[in-house]
Amino acid sequence: MSSAPTPPPATRCARHPDVETGLACGRCETPICPKCLVYTPAGTRCPDCAAIGRPKMYILGPLDYARAVATVVVVGLAVGGLYGIVLSPSPRIGLFSLLIGGAAGYGVGAAIAALLDVTTSRKRGRQIQMVAAGGVVLVWLTRLVVSGVPLEWALRDFTGFALMAVAISVASQRLR
Ligand SMILES: [Zn+2]
Ligand SMILES: [Zn+2]
């Protein structure tokens, strides 16, 4: 007499009981379906383990967000306001204005990154980079409003564009 081998019981996703899966979390071995699977540098993880494994410096809680946003709003209004008074946008395009914008952008980007380091205890990653970029755009907008130039100049503000491009890239590099 021979009996056919019984097939192993179908494994189902812990979060989606109607989905059969051959995948499991590499840490806690919970069955997970492709929808739940999270790729991490350490391997495939369930959403719970993926959250545990993420270094804290890359996670912004509501308080971190509030501090980060408050920081860039203050910097945006202060720097943008000063900039608008000292150097009003000019519709002239020239290498000199691009250089000035780039140099100012370097300073603005480095300052925003340094201040965010202090107010958010050295957070890193995409979220803090986005907040920093928002601060840079606020510098540009504030300066535009304070200087009171016609709106159509904004579209030809190459000094300002150079400033924003350099500032966002410098801040992103430092907050990576
Ligand atoms: Zn897990
Ligand atoms: Zn699932």
Side-chain angles (χ1 to χ4, degrees):
M1 284 205 9
S2 66
S3 58
T6 46
T11 312
R12 289 164 190 281
C13 173
R15 285 156 196 256
H16 301 97
D18 52 331
V19 180
E20 286 188 20
T21 179
L23 304 168
C25 171
R27 184 172 175 273
C28 70
E29 295 179 348
T30 300
I32 41 175
C33 70
K35 238 166 102 182
C36 300
L37 180 87
V38 181
Y39 289 96
T40 73
T44 53
R45 295 284 184 270
C46 69
D48 289 342
C49 291
I52 296 168
R54 251 169 107 207
K56 242 184 119 196
M57 64 192 282
Y58 293 109
I59 301 166
L60 265 71
L63 187 63
D64 297 313
Y65 261 117
R67 284 182 177 159
V69 169
T71 304
V72 298
V73 166
V74 169
V75 172
L77 295 179
V79 174
L82 190 70
Y83 183 19
I85 292 164
V86 172
L87 198 68
S88 66
S90 156
R92 278 176 298 143
I93 306 159
L95 187 61
F96 185 67
S97 53
L98 289 180
L99 285 175
I100 295 274
Y106 188 90
V108 169
I112 286 180
L115 281 169
L116 283 173
D117 261 359
V118 174
T119 55
T120 67
S121 327
R122 305 181 66 80
K123 291 290 182 189
R124 291 288 179 273
R126 180 61 59 90
Q127 294 170 315
I128 196 79
Q129 286 175 330
M130 296 301 287
V131 175
V136 171
V137 174
L138 186 63
V139 168
W140 182 74
L141 276 175
T142 305
R143 170 239 194 182
L144 198 71
V145 171
V146 168
S147 60
V149 294
L151 190 62
E152 64 257 30
W153 282 23
L155 303 173
R156 299 172 59 192
D157 178 18
F158 292 93
T159 313
F161 297 148
L163 183 148
M164 280 196 285
V166 173
I168 289 174
S169 118
V170 167
S172 298
Q173 282 289 319
R174 300 194 174 191
L175 299 170
R176 206 165 37 166

